[in-house]
Amino acid sequence: MSAHKLADSLAYPPRGMRADRAAAYLDMSPASFQRIVDEELLPRGHTVKGMVIWDRHELDAAFESLKGDDDNRNTMHKLLGIRS
């Protein structure tokens, strides 16, 4: 039986991604992604058998922290502590 690679048209993002996919996941160019990683605003990838892989959950958490107070809640929601 020959090895079969899954198609790229998955309905969900993979848990681990190489730099180009991680950049695309965050909708930025690979150069911008690497610059933000170098600035330590996004996590560094993990080396697995010579491949550098980014964990989607770590990217999600880092992206959430980048948003800071710049959210889309209206003033009343902020005053009442209502999360969107």
Side-chain angles (χ1 to χ4, degrees):
M1 181 175 210
S2 66
H4 176 68
K5 189 171 183 176
L6 291 175
D8 269 350
S9 59
L10 297 175
Y12 53 88
R15 174 66 190 270
M17 298 172 265
R18 294 206 185 179
D20 59 336
R21 298 252 177 167
Y25 177 69
L26 295 176
D27 195 27
M28 60 180 70
S29 71
S32 292
F33 176 77
Q34 191 58 57
R35 186 179 71 251
I36 295 170
V37 168
D38 290 343
E39 292 170 359
E40 298 182 358
L41 296 173
L42 289 174
R44 295 202 176 279
H46 302 278
T47 302
V48 179
K49 295 213 175 223
M51 299 175 289
V52 181
I53 308 280
W54 274 263
D55 182 308
R56 177 173 45 94
H57 294 173
E58 291 176 3
L59 290 173
D60 288 343
F63 190 77
E64 284 297 318
S65 70
L66 286 176
K67 293 189 326 187
D69 288 333
D70 185 27
D71 61 27
N72 294 323
R73 296 179 297 154
N74 67 40
T75 303
M76 186 57 75
H77 284 175
K78 290 177 186 176
L79 290 172
L80 296 174
I82 299 171
R83 303 293 302 167
S84 305

